[in-house]
C-alpha cells in the first residue's frame, strides 16, 4: 500500500480507502462488512468513510459494530462522518439537518455513538448550507476541534469559492479552516478536481478524498447490456443516477475503454481507479465494493497506476474526450 498526506496536513491516508455509501445495510450485512473491512485493513487501507445520512444512520451503526469486534488500535485507522442531510430522511425536523451550530455538534455526538468511538478523524460538511452563515460553520467545527471530538474538518461538494470563504473567515479569527474536500472524481466527472480546485492545492494545501471512481459502476462495464437486478442502479431511489449516467455516448466510451483495458490485461475497473490515483492532487480514492471479489480486484489499481505513462493517458483522453480546459 502507498500513503499520501491529506493536502498540506501531516495526516497520511492510503491511496485507496473504503466507504459505505449505498452498500452497508442495503447490500452488505454485518458478516460481509466484517469480511470486507478486515480484508481492506489487512491490505493496508487505513481510511474508512461514512456519513450520518447513509442508510439513515444504520451504516454507521454497522461499521461501529465491526470496528468494536475487530479491536484494532484506534491510532491505526482514520474514520470519518459527514453532516448535513440528517438521518431521519423525510422525517427530519427543522434542526435535524443543515449546518447550524446545533446540528453540526449534535450530529457529531450521534455519529460518535453510532460508530462507538471517542473521536472522528475527519468530519465533513456534506453539502453547503445557504441558510447558515459560513462563519457559524467555521466556529462550530473549531469548537469540536478544541474539544478533541474531531481532528480535521472539511467539505464535500462545495465550490472553490465556498471553501475559500471558509478559509478567509478562519484566518480572520485565528481558527482552523477546512483541510479537505470530498468531490466526485472519475473519467466522466473531472471539472472540480482538475480545474476548479487547481488554485487551492497550492494556496491552501487542499486535500481530496474522492468518491465514485467507477461512476456508480458504469466504469465496470456491467451496464453495457442493461441494468443487472442486483446492481446499484437497480436499487429503488437511484432513478436520478440512472438517467444521468446511462446515456448512449457514455456507454460507447465505456466499451472503448473496456477494449483498452483488455489490451493491457486488466479489468476496466482497475484501469478507471488507477487513472484516479494517477492524479497527484488526489489524496485517496474511496472504493465502495459490495463483494470481496470486487475489492480484491480493485486493489490491483494500487500497483497498476504506475504503468499509466503518458502514452496510455493520451489514449484514454482520446476516448473520453472531456479534459477540462485550464
Amino acid at each position: 500500500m502507498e500513503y499520501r498526506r491529506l493536502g498540506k496536513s501531516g495526516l497520511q491516508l492510503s491511496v485507496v480507502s473504503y466507504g459505505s455509501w449505498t452498500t452497508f445495510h442495503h447490500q452488505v450485512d454485518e458478516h460481509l462488512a466484517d469480511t470486507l473491512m478486515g480484508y481492506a485493513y489487512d491490505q493496508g487501507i487505513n481510511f474508512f468513510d461514512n456519513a450520518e445520512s447513509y442508510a439513515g444512520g444504520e451504516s454507521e451503526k454497522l461499521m461501529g459494530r465491526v470496528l468494536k469486534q475487530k479491536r484494532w488500535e484506534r491510532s491505526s485507522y482514520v474514520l470519518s462522518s459527514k453532516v448535513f442531510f440528517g438521518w431521519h430522511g423525510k422525517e427530519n425536523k427543522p434542526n435535524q439537518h443543515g449546518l447550524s451550530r446545533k446540528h453540526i455538534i449534535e450530529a457529531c455526538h450521534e455519529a460518535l455513538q453510532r460508530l462507538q468511538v471517542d473521536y472522528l478523524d475527519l468530519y465533513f460538511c456534506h453539502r453547503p448550507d445557504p441558510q447558515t452563515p459560513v462563519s457559524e460553520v467555521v466556529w462550530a467545527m473549531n469548537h469540536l476541534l478544541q474539544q478533541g471530538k474531531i481532528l480535521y474538518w472539511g467539505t464535500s461538494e462545495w465550490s472553490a469559492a465556498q471553501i475559500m470563504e471558509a478559509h478567509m473567515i478562519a484566518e480572520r479569527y485565528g481558527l482552523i479552516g477546512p483541510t479537505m474536500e470530498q468531490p466526485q472524481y472519475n473519467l466522466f466527472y473531472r471539472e472540480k478536481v482538475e480545474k476548479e480546485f487547481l488554485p487551492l492545492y497550492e494556496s491552501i494545501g487542499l486535500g481530496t478524498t474522492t468518491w465514485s471512481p467507477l461512476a456508480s459502476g458504469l466504469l465496470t462495464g456491467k451496464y453495457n447490456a442493461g441494468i443487472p437486478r442486483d446492481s446499484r442502479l437497480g436499487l429503488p431511489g437511484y432513478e436520478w443516477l440512472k438517467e444521468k449516467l446511462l446515456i448512449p455516448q457514455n456507454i460507447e466510451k465505456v466499451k472503448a475503454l473496456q477494449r483498452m483495458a483488455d489490451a493491457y490485461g486488466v479489468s476496466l475497473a482497475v484501469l478507471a481507479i488507477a487513472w484516479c490515483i494517477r492524479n497527484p492532487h488526489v489524496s485517496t480514492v474511496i472504493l465502495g465494493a459490495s463483494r470481496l471479489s470486487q475489492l480484491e480486484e480493485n486493489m490491483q489499481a494500487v500497483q497498476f497506476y504506475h504503468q499509466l505513462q503518458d502514452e496510455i493517458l493520451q489514449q484514454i483522453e482520446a476516448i473520453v474526450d472531456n479534459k477540462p480546459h485550464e
Side-chain angles (χ1 to χ4, degrees):
M1 180 56 67
E2 295 181 25
Y3 299 88
R4 292 178 182 171
R5 288 172 59 201
L6 181 60
K8 70 175 182 181
S9 79
L11 187 68
Q12 296 189 63
L13 301 183
S14 47
V15 291
V16 292
S17 41
Y18 187 62
S20 62
W21 178 53
T22 77
T23 54
F24 275 36
H25 186 67
H26 294 300
Q27 295 173 292
V28 174
D29 60 17
E30 191 162 335
H31 175 74
L32 182 53
D34 183 277
T35 300
L36 292 167
M37 289 180 64
Y39 176 79
Y41 186 83
D42 290 343
Q43 293 299 306
I45 286 178
N46 72 346
F47 171 38
F48 298 94
D49 183 67
N50 221 312
E52 63 168 354
S53 59
Y54 294 170
E58 293 300 322
S59 174
E60 290 186 333
K61 290 179 183 178
L62 177 51
M63 186 172 283
R65 291 194 296 270
V66 171
L67 289 171
K68 187 173 183 178
Q69 292 164 9
K70 291 296 188 186
R71 302 181 69 178
W72 296 325
E73 287 185 310
R74 182 64 183 88
S75 56
S76 70
Y77 63 88
V78 173
L79 192 61
S80 76
S81 184
K82 306 182 194 73
V83 56
F84 178 77
F85 293 107
W87 60 269
H88 298 85
K90 294 180 180 178
E91 302 302 317
N92 277 329
K93 291 182 170 56
N95 293 312
Q96 293 178 330
H97 61 96
L99 295 179
S100 68
R101 179 181 289 106
K102 178 178 173 64
H103 184 58
I104 285 175
I105 292 173
E106 289 177 345
C108 178
H109 293 165
E110 291 173 341
L112 294 175
Q113 292 173 0
R114 288 191 291 263
L115 290 164
Q116 300 187 56
V117 291
D118 295 325
Y119 63 90
L120 298 170
D121 299 277
L122 308 181
Y123 195 35
F124 294 87
C125 297
H126 212 162
R127 291 293 186 275
D129 182 1
Q131 305 302 318
T132 303
V134 177
S135 59
E136 182 173 338
V137 176
V138 174
W139 276 103
M141 286 296 187
N142 276 262
H143 178 71
L144 292 171
L145 285 168
Q146 290 165 3
Q147 291 184 327
K149 292 177 181 176
I150 66 174
L151 304 187
Y152 302 88
W153 78 277
T155 59
S156 180
E157 295 300 322
W158 281 35
S159 69
Q162 290 165 332
I163 294 170
M164 279 305 302
E165 182 182 357
H167 264 277
M168 291 169 64
I169 290 170
E171 187 173 339
R172 183 185 310 156
Y173 295 107
L175 303 175
I176 297 174
T179 298
M180 66 284 174
E181 156 70 15
Q182 186 165 128
Q184 181 178 181
Y185 184 54
N186 55 58
L187 280 161
F188 290 120
Y189 199 92
R190 307 170 58 178
E191 194 79 13
K192 279 193 171 183
V193 170
E194 295 185 22
K195 182 180 179 181
E196 184 179 344
F197 294 154
L198 211 54
L200 305 190
Y201 303 132
E202 293 296 327
S203 63
I204 62 174
L206 185 70
T208 60
T209 62
T210 64
W211 61 277
S212 198
L214 300 178
S216 296
L218 178 63
L219 286 164
T220 64
K222 65 183 176 183
Y223 298 118
N224 289 355
I227 302 177
R229 185 175 300 175
D230 63 343
S231 66
R232 181 175 301 178
L233 296 187
L235 295 172
Y238 289 88
E239 292 78 12
W240 62 274
L241 198 55
K242 180 170 60 178
E243 294 172 3
K244 182 178 179 180
L245 288 174
L246 298 188
I247 55 179
Q249 54 265 47
N250 282 353
I251 297 298
E252 290 307 310
K253 290 179 180 180
V254 169
K255 289 179 179 178
L257 289 167
Q258 180 69 71
R259 291 190 292 270
M260 182 179 174
D262 292 342
Y264 287 102
V266 296
S267 69
L268 176 54
V270 169
L271 177 67
I273 295 167
W275 179 87
C276 294
I277 299 173
R278 183 68 167 69
N279 187 333
H281 296 306
V282 170
S283 306
T284 186
V285 176
I286 300 172
L287 308 177
S290 58
R291 295 195 299 272
L292 180 58
S293 59
Q294 291 175 332
L295 191 54
E296 290 173 335
E297 175 189 313
N298 293 350
M299 289 298 297
Q300 297 173 29
V302 177
Q303 301 301 322
F304 182 69
Y305 93 90
H306 293 288
Q307 299 181 39
L308 294 183
Q309 303 304 319
D310 290 344
E311 181 183 350
I312 301 177
L313 293 173
Q314 288 169 9
Q315 293 175 24
I316 293 173
E317 293 293 356
I319 292 171
V320 294
D321 190 28
N322 61 2
K323 186 177 178 64
H325 297 291
E326 292 188 12

